[in-house]
Amino acid sequence: MPGFLADLTGSFATSAAQNPTVVVMEAAYAHAELDIRYINCEVPPERLGDAVRGAVGMGWLGFNCSIPHKVAILDYLDAMAASAGIIGAVNCVINRDGHLTGENTDGQGFVASLRTVIDPTGVDMVVLGAGGAARAIAVESALAGARSITIVNRTRKRGEELAALVADRTPAQSSYVPWDGAYVVPESTAVLVNATSIGFQPSVDIPDVAPSSIRPGLVVADVVANPPDTAFLQLAQAQGAITLQGLGMLVNQALTNARLWTGRDLDADVMHRALTASLLP
Ligand code: NDP
């Protein structure tokens, strides 16, 4: 006999209207015949506490928090996963009878996506950017065994802070390189990641990297998921690089969130199809 009471999950962010995760999660729950909903909520900073208490009061399995709540949410948590503690930001909260645990699945999603094309163990990586996505990617890739992470960022302070964080809190080596003029990718680099917001629709800008230093076989990943094939990835493809879309990171992150909330492995292909369809112009 069908029940009338679904389990609840969702997202707190502002602005929430452009976030396609609801489409991805609801498609995957339906495909797995799980009676679970994902509610996309517009939550301004001053309402985060109310939203968290509401989720606990209603017995939600957990929720995502996105911009601008990824650091503010720390005040409401009872525990944090080790990597989230190093990154200093949380995008996924698990509720167990009112006990809230924070995880950062942005970086985990990236590493899972990266593993489809290369084993990160022992590789030299370059990360363009030092914001929230770059922090999660750099820390999680270092914890996954990368040998070195070079941080290239426009603003020196943020870049230096991230390089110091990786060097101090993970086994990887890390250094900061100022981004003044076209960045020349060192020959030893196995993975180059655009973790800046450059190229997000409708922009067709490309991060300033010397095209000739993008050699055949280099893995080039973009965090920008919309459009899936960014102008940067198109350039990398033309240079013979192996490219990885931001969509892969997003889907793998959603898979991890669902596993943490429900203990179930959902269907990545269903998620990928739902996401691609939601991004069509
Ligand atoms: P932040 O605002 O925290 O960081 C933005 C970064 O981009 C900073 O390092 C900033 O440099 C750099 N940057 C922005 N514009 C320029 C520019 N014109 N020239 C050089 N550097 C620039 O953003 P997030 O880290 O949260 O997000 C970054 C991107 O990652 C977004 O597009 C977001 O949608 C995407 N993302 C994708 C995910 C996925 O699953 N695919 C998950 C999470 C995020 P500076 O420090 O100098 O300002």
Side-chain angles (χ1 to χ4, degrees), residues 67 70 106 128-134 153-156 158-159 179 195-198 200 222-225 246-247 249-251 253:
I67 292 170
K70 289 185 184 183
D106 280 334
L128 306 172
N153 197 48
R154 178 179 61 179
T155 305
R156 170 177 285 273
R158 277 226 272 189
W179 201 353
T196 74
S197 38
I198 300 170
F200 197 90
D222 207 325
V223 291
V224 172
L247 282 186
M249 175 176 169
L250 229 156
V251 166
Q253 186 202 118

Side-chain angles (χ1 to χ4, degrees), residues 9 25 28-29 34 36 61 64 92-94 96 103 105 108-109 112 251-268 271:
T9 59
M25 297 303 301
Y29 288 152
L34 292 173
I36 306 178
L61 299 177
N64 289 127
C92 177
V93 176
I94 303 110
R96 297 277 181 270
E103 287 264 0
T105 59
Q108 294 174 34
V251 166
N252 278 290
Q253 186 202 118
L255 278 174
T256 308
N257 297 339
R259 199 178 301 124
L260 290 166
W261 294 327
T262 70
R264 295 277 300 261
D265 281 316
L266 302 187
D267 192 306
M271 288 184 166

Side-chain angles (χ1 to χ4, degrees), residues 83 86-87 134-144 162 165-166 170:
S83 66
I86 298 173
I87 296 162
R135 270 177 96 84
I137 286 169
V139 167
E140 213 66 65
S141 301
L143 294 177
L162 178 52
L165 179 78
V166 173
T170 80

